[in-house]
Amino acid sequence: MAEETNIQEAFQAVMAANGDIPPKQQQVLAASLELFAQQGFANTTTKQIAQKAGVAEGTVYRRYKTKDELLAAVLAPFVTQVLPRLITEFAEGVVGRPYLTRHEMIQSIAEDRLAFIQKNGPILRILIREISVRTDLRSQFITHAGPLLQENLFPVLDRLKARGELVDWPDSRIAQFMIGTMLTELVRTLLVPEDIEKAIPTIIKFLEKGLAPD
Amino acid sequence: MAEETNIQEAFQAVMAANGDIPPKQQQVLAASLELFAQQGFANTTTKQIAQKAGVAEGTVYRRYKTKDELLAAVLAPFVTQVLPRLITEFAEGVVGRPYLTRHEMIQSIAEDRLAFIQKNGPILRILIREISVRTDLRSQFITHAGPLLQENLFPVLDRLKARGELVDWPDSRIAQFMIGTMLTELVRTLLVPEDIEKAIPTIIKFLEKGLAPD
Amino acid sequence: MAEETNIQEAFQAVMAANGDIPPKQQQVLAASLELFAQQGFANTTTKQIAQKAGVAEGTVYRRYKTKDELLAAVLAPFVTQVLPRLITEFAEGVVGRPYLTRHEMIQSIAEDRLAFIQKNGPILRILIREISVRTDLRSQFITHAGPLLQENLFPVLDRLKARGELVDWPDSRIAQFMIGTMLTELVRTLLVPEDIEKAIPTIIKFLEKGLAPD
Amino acid sequence: MAEETNIQEAFQAVMAANGDIPPKQQQVLAASLELFAQQGFANTTTKQIAQKAGVAEGTVYRRYKTKDELLAAVLAPFVTQVLPRLITEFAEGVVGRPYLTRHEMIQSIAEDRLAFIQKNGPILRILIREISVRTDLRSQFITHAGPLLQENLFPVLDRLKARGELVDWPDSRIAQFMIGTMLTELVRTLLVPEDIEKAIPTIIKFLEKGLAPD
DNA sequence: CATGAATGAGCTTTCATTCAT
DNA sequence: TATGAATGAAAGCTCATTCAT
């Protein structure tokens, strides 16, 4: 299954951010990730996790003392490390280019980010779903992601706007359109199986035109 | 509370589509709607529903024999009646206008639909969340919504494309961008409290430009 | 079993102090009391309680939301109501008698209190055992019982001491001997089944002599 | 901490009676003793024991195959060796003295025994608690302690009674008062921190007067 | 011998669902 | 029809015990 491959990769990202973890615990984490993504956190039982991970139910609780901690272990490194790295990497890529065009910026963002969305679809699904349900997670996310955008993306947008390369809307609205449009792909793959790759050029064009100055 | 009003109105929509329902059952339905939207279906107990509805727990089960049926009672009429009516109403509004511009179409859609999203935010949240978790609901949704779009929206898009008013992308992709962009407002209100009204002109412009022919 | 009868009576005392409780919940309370006394709180499972009470396991949790709350429901009314009433009743019995002799006082205390110990043996066993294990319960007990003794028993002792009827030891030590000696009966009945009644005269004499002035 | 010292000494008593034990196992035994005394046997986990002993959880099981065996290892030598030695030592001390007075006997018992109680408080606490909960331990205790008292204490009491030095109550009752009164000190130290030493003279006097012939 | 990750039986607790009143 | 106490299956979680290293 292609689905499987995605999860493996998404799992790598979380693993990498989680330090040294013994193999059985990795299986637990991987199984949780997959099941949470498929069925949602609340609909997943620790028994299912244990079965899919091929371990005893008690093993699930060795490292993560509650089911909530397991969710945190899946999401936290993603929010606090993977996501930030993604955003700052983008900034680094465009920061030294004073004559960046709107096209270049959007392409630079969209290509990387869409590949990222594809790879991390499962985690993103969990994240979005749980953010809409858990107040604590929501505020934690806002605290982390807000400043990151403000420091890395907004200055770039401002520069483009100053040079008449970008429509003069508030940064947060532009970000909303950019991120939102890319996430529609996540929804689309849920309803209609489709390769994200093919959508990339169209998405880039759509954003490029939609965000052009009047 | 504005939130309250929204739910009341969203509730009206479901109510209207549900035929004659005794008052206590209406309270149950309204309470379910609100709680499912806030906390998610799986995190809501029938006890909470009963409390918020001001009835006994047994009463919750008088009309709806299971909790799942309660979810269906909240969502089904929305999917099978409210949503279709919304789409067909749109079609009716533009069907007799052969020289419709892109601007007119998008404005016509966006204004109504954004008001609709605002009014029905809670139900839409439930719907999106549960669709991502329940295969049956997903296929049911595709069965209902797919043809509706194909019959009502796509012909209009095709006509506009033929007249060079609209970019030549597949209808499904154009629909993805239009619906997706509007739904980003739903996400935004979750993270940052904001009045949807204010966003309407910007969203319309974004879509209008983004979907213009090259 | 005589044991049974005791528990029934001890149970009455707790019941009386607990307000209106539906029959099944009373069975739960009675079963808990008996099992906690026999096996200790920590060695008693909620399954055992449910079985002995003849109810489903869920029923155990209807009124008492945790097992700890069940223990509190058994002990708290005893500590805060039964025990205080016992002590103040004693005070009322001797307060109007200025020429009370040591013999009269000890007899007055011992007879009532030993009957009380016999009746409430099971609860007392639970109380003593759990007090020795739970810091919170210990301080709660000291807070309640300490002042009661100080206000009701100690003044009587002081009066007797002033009239040369009682040995001149600290009140707390005299209380220790009086209460301790009576409680030895509780331990004795544990090791050797015996009717407390028969021991009363001997205990009274022992205390009377032991607490006589030099 | 004085508490610590007590446990160390109590531990010595058990150690001495336990033959050669490797150091890690001694730490396990000492940790068990302390934790069982503080929190009760049932509320103590093997993990806690391992931590306090500074060994791995598996090590706890090297010598003692079950947790129950660990309790036995703490209590059995105390019941079968320390306690007997205590009682027989007493007998040896008074057996050759035909004109022993009540005062001398009580003093002889009380002084040693109270020191003993102080030293072995933790073990005694465990013993008393577990005897009240475990039938097997109870009968084992009765089997061991009963005859010991009958053979070593009762003859002495009988001789004193014959010489009019002691009140004419059944030996078991006299023993109850003597042992019980001394144990009240154990309870007192639980509720009110106090040095047992100071109580010794008063306890001796109380017993001496209480057990005098009429 | 010591370790500590792993086990799984069994415990406490939750909650959708039923049903006598 | 409405009630809410009662149910019991199943969930989350604990912990004595085992065993490969």
Side-chain angles (χ1 to χ4, degrees):
Chain A
M1 280 179 278
E3 181 75 359
E4 286 292 286
T5 319
N6 284 349
I7 294 209
Q8 289 315 323
E9 294 185 48
F11 169 64
Q12 300 304 333
V14 176
M15 282 304 90
N18 248 327
D20 247 13
I21 294 183
K24 294 238 169 166
Q25 300 301 327
Q26 289 193 20
Q27 292 162 34
V28 168
L29 220 44
S32 302
L33 176 49
E34 187 163 352
L35 287 169
F36 292 168
Q38 272 171 22
Q39 323 174 340
F41 174 77
N43 305 315
T44 301
T45 69
T46 51
K47 194 172 200 169
Q48 288 177 315
I49 294 172
Q51 263 169 4
K52 169 149 264 174
V55 301
E57 219 175 327
T59 306
V60 175
Y61 285 89
R62 245 204 96 64
R63 174 175 283 248
Y64 311 105
K65 282 185 286 284
T66 66
K67 202 183 153 199
D68 271 5
E69 238 175 66
L70 200 46
L71 177 65
V74 169
L75 292 185
F78 185 83
V79 174
T80 62
Q81 304 196 36
V82 181
L83 222 52
R85 191 179 319 144
L86 187 81
I87 295 175
T88 52
E89 267 171 15
F90 155 74
E92 285 163 14
V94 297
V95 84
R97 305 166 59 182
Y99 299 109
L100 190 74
T101 62
R102 179 175 74 261
H103 173 77
E104 286 168 338
M105 180 207 58
I106 288 172
Q107 176 158 10
S108 158
I109 291 189
E111 280 184 342
D112 281 13
R113 268 22 64 165
L114 283 169
F116 175 82
I117 285 176
Q118 182 164 31
K119 246 197 345 208
N120 297 281
I123 288 198
L124 283 169
R125 270 189 204 111
I126 301 173
L127 183 64
I128 293 169
R129 215 187 279 132
E130 293 308 317
I131 272 185
S132 82
V133 150
R134 295 165 172 254
T135 324
D136 56 330
L137 203 63
R138 191 146 69 224
S139 55
Q140 189 202 332
F141 177 75
I142 293 175
T143 313
H144 269 279
L148 273 170
L149 289 178
Q150 224 147 47
E151 286 164 30
N152 292 286
L153 179 63
F154 290 6
V156 176
L157 298 182
D158 289 339
R159 263 199 292 153
L160 285 168
K161 281 196 267 187
R163 295 205 339 271
E165 275 284 326
L166 203 64
V167 65
D168 191 25
W169 292 332
D171 291 334
S172 68
R173 179 123 283 139
I174 297 175
Q176 171 189 349
F177 290 152
M178 283 176 25
I179 296 169
T181 300
M182 291 190 282
L183 286 180
T184 58
E185 269 304 295
L186 200 63
V187 178
R188 190 193 181 105
T189 55
L190 189 75
L191 298 176
V192 189
E194 189 210 46
D195 198 8
I196 290 189
E197 301 288 328
K198 293 182 187 160
I200 295 182
T202 316
I203 288 176
I204 293 177
K205 266 198 192 137
F206 173 63
L207 285 174
E208 206 184 319
K209 291 194 289 181
L211 297 177
D214 297 320
Chain B
M1 284 174 280
E3 181 73 357
E4 286 293 289
T5 320
N6 284 349
I7 295 211
Q8 289 314 321
E9 293 185 49
F11 169 65
Q12 300 303 332
V14 177
M15 282 303 89
N18 245 328
D20 251 9
I21 294 183
K24 293 232 168 173
Q25 299 304 325
Q26 290 194 18
Q27 292 162 35
V28 168
L29 221 43
S32 302
L33 175 51
E34 190 166 344
L35 288 169
F36 292 168
Q38 270 172 27
Q39 325 174 339
F41 173 77
N43 305 315
T44 301
T45 69
T46 50
K47 193 175 197 173
Q48 288 177 314
I49 295 172
Q51 263 173 3
K52 171 150 263 174
V55 301
E57 229 179 317
T59 307
V60 174
Y61 283 85
R62 175 133 310 274
R63 174 177 282 248
Y64 310 104
K65 282 185 290 274
T66 67
K67 201 185 157 196
D68 272 0
E69 239 173 65
L70 200 47
L71 177 65
V74 169
L75 291 185
F78 184 83
V79 175
T80 62
Q81 305 193 36
V82 180
L83 220 52
R85 191 178 318 144
L86 186 83
I87 295 175
T88 51
E89 269 170 13
F90 156 76
E92 285 162 15
V94 297
V95 82
R97 302 169 60 183
Y99 300 110
L100 188 74
T101 63
R102 179 174 75 259
H103 173 79
E104 284 168 339
M105 177 206 61
I106 288 171
Q107 176 158 10
S108 155
I109 292 188
E111 279 183 342
D112 281 12
R113 263 30 58 163
L114 281 169
F116 176 81
I117 284 176
Q118 182 163 31
K119 252 198 337 208
N120 297 281
I123 287 199
L124 284 169
R125 270 190 201 111
I126 301 173
L127 184 63
I128 293 169
R129 251 195 314 249
E130 294 307 319
I131 271 185
S132 80
V133 150
R134 298 170 170 255
T135 325
D136 56 329
L137 202 64
R138 189 148 68 225
S139 55
Q140 189 201 334
F141 177 76
I142 294 175
T143 313
H144 271 278
L148 272 171
L149 289 178
Q150 225 146 46
E151 287 163 30
N152 292 286
L153 178 63
F154 289 4
V156 177
L157 297 183
D158 289 339
R159 263 198 291 152
L160 284 168
K161 278 196 269 186
R163 290 197 353 264
E165 273 286 326
L166 202 64
V167 67
D168 191 26
W169 291 332
D171 290 335
S172 69
R173 178 123 284 138
I174 296 175
Q176 171 189 348
F177 290 152
M178 284 177 21
I179 297 169
T181 300
M182 291 189 283
L183 287 181
T184 58
E185 269 304 294
L186 201 63
V187 178
R188 188 192 181 105
T189 54
L190 188 75
L191 299 175
V192 189
E194 191 210 47
D195 199 9
I196 290 188
E197 301 288 328
K198 292 182 188 160
I200 296 182
T202 316
I203 287 175
I204 292 177
K205 268 204 189 130
F206 173 64
L207 284 174
E208 209 184 319
K209 291 195 290 180
L211 298 177
D214 297 320
Chain C
M1 282 179 279
E3 183 73 359
E4 286 292 288
T5 321
N6 285 348
I7 295 209
Q8 289 314 321
E9 294 185 49
F11 169 65
Q12 301 303 333
V14 176
M15 282 303 91
N18 246 328
D20 247 12
I21 293 183
K24 294 237 170 167
Q25 299 302 326
Q26 288 194 20
Q27 293 162 36
V28 167
L29 220 44
S32 301
L33 176 48
E34 187 163 351
L35 287 170
F36 291 168
Q38 272 171 23
Q39 323 175 341
F41 174 78
N43 306 313
T44 302
T45 68
T46 50
K47 194 173 199 169
Q48 288 177 315
I49 294 172
Q51 262 170 5
K52 168 149 266 173
V55 302
E57 221 175 324
T59 307
V60 174
Y61 285 87
R62 246 205 97 64
R63 173 175 284 248
Y64 310 105
K65 283 184 286 283
T66 66
K67 202 183 153 197
D68 270 6
E69 236 175 67
L70 200 46
L71 177 65
V74 169
L75 291 185
F78 186 83
V79 174
T80 63
Q81 305 195 36
V82 181
L83 222 52
R85 192 179 319 143
L86 186 83
I87 295 174
T88 52
E89 268 170 13
F90 155 75
E92 286 163 14
V94 297
V95 83
R97 304 168 59 185
Y99 299 111
L100 189 74
T101 62
R102 179 175 73 261
H103 173 78
E104 285 169 337
M105 179 206 60
I106 288 172
Q107 175 159 10
S108 158
I109 290 189
E111 280 184 342
D112 281 13
R113 263 29 58 165
L114 283 169
F116 175 82
I117 284 175
Q118 181 163 31
K119 246 192 354 202
N120 296 283
I123 287 199
L124 283 169
R125 269 188 205 113
I126 301 173
L127 184 64
I128 293 169
R129 215 186 281 130
E130 293 307 319
I131 272 184
S132 81
V133 150
R134 295 166 173 256
T135 324
D136 56 329
L137 203 63
R138 191 146 69 223
S139 55
Q140 190 203 331
F141 177 76
I142 293 174
T143 313
H144 270 278
L148 274 170
L149 288 179
Q150 222 146 47
E151 286 165 30
N152 292 285
L153 179 63
F154 290 4
V156 177
L157 297 182
D158 289 339
R159 264 199 291 153
L160 285 168
K161 280 196 267 186
R163 293 204 343 270
E165 275 284 326
L166 202 63
V167 66
D168 191 25
W169 290 334
D171 290 336
S172 69
R173 179 123 283 137
I174 297 175
Q176 172 189 347
F177 291 151
M178 283 177 23
I179 296 168
T181 301
M182 292 190 282
L183 285 181
T184 58
E185 269 304 293
L186 200 63
V187 178
R188 188 193 180 103
T189 55
L190 188 75
L191 298 176
V192 189
E194 190 211 47
D195 199 7
I196 290 188
E197 301 286 329
K198 292 183 190 158
I200 296 182
T202 316
I203 287 175
I204 292 177
K205 267 202 189 129
F206 173 64
L207 283 174
E208 207 183 321
K209 291 195 290 180
L211 297 177
D214 296 321
Chain D
M1 282 176 281
E3 181 74 358
E4 286 293 289
T5 319
N6 285 348
I7 295 211
Q8 289 315 322
E9 294 185 47
F11 169 64
Q12 300 304 332
V14 177
M15 283 301 92
N18 246 327
D20 250 11
I21 294 183
K24 294 232 169 172
Q25 298 304 325
Q26 290 193 19
Q27 292 162 35
V28 168
L29 222 42
S32 302
L33 175 50
E34 189 163 352
L35 288 169
F36 292 168
Q38 269 173 28
Q39 324 174 339
F41 173 77
N43 305 315
T44 301
T45 68
T46 49
K47 193 176 196 170
Q48 288 177 313
I49 294 172
Q51 263 173 2
K52 171 150 261 172
V55 301
E57 230 179 318
T59 307
V60 174
Y61 283 84
R62 175 135 309 273
R63 174 177 282 247
Y64 310 105
K65 283 185 290 272
T66 68
K67 201 185 156 196
D68 272 1
E69 240 173 64
L70 200 47
L71 177 65
V74 169
L75 291 185
F78 184 83
V79 174
T80 61
Q81 304 193 36
V82 181
L83 221 53
R85 190 177 321 144
L86 187 83
I87 295 175
T88 51
E89 269 170 14
F90 156 74
E92 286 164 13
V94 296
V95 84
R97 302 168 61 184
Y99 300 109
L100 189 75
T101 62
R102 178 174 76 260
H103 173 77
E104 285 168 338
M105 178 206 59
I106 288 171
Q107 177 158 9
S108 155
I109 291 188
E111 279 184 342
D112 281 13
R113 266 26 60 164
L114 281 169
F116 176 82
I117 284 176
Q118 182 165 29
K119 254 200 335 211
N120 297 282
I123 287 199
L124 284 169
R125 268 188 204 114
I126 301 173
L127 184 64
I128 293 169
R129 247 190 323 242
E130 294 307 319
I131 271 186
S132 82
V133 149
R134 295 167 173 255
T135 325
D136 57 329
L137 202 64
R138 189 148 68 225
S139 53
Q140 188 202 334
F141 178 76
I142 294 175
T143 313
H144 271 276
L148 272 170
L149 289 178
Q150 227 147 43
E151 286 164 30
N152 292 285
L153 179 63
F154 290 5
V156 176
L157 298 182
D158 289 339
R159 262 197 293 152
L160 285 168
K161 280 196 268 186
R163 293 203 343 269
E165 273 285 325
L166 202 65
V167 65
D168 190 25
W169 291 332
D171 290 337
S172 69
R173 177 122 284 140
I174 296 175
Q176 170 189 350
F177 289 153
M178 283 178 20
I179 296 169
T181 300
M182 291 190 282
L183 286 181
T184 59
E185 269 304 294
L186 201 63
V187 178
R188 189 192 180 106
T189 55
L190 188 75
L191 298 175
V192 188
E194 192 211 45
D195 198 9
I196 289 188
E197 301 288 327
K198 292 182 189 160
I200 296 182
T202 316
I203 288 176
I204 292 178
K205 267 200 191 135
F206 173 64
L207 284 174
E208 208 184 319
K209 291 196 290 180
L211 298 177
D214 297 318

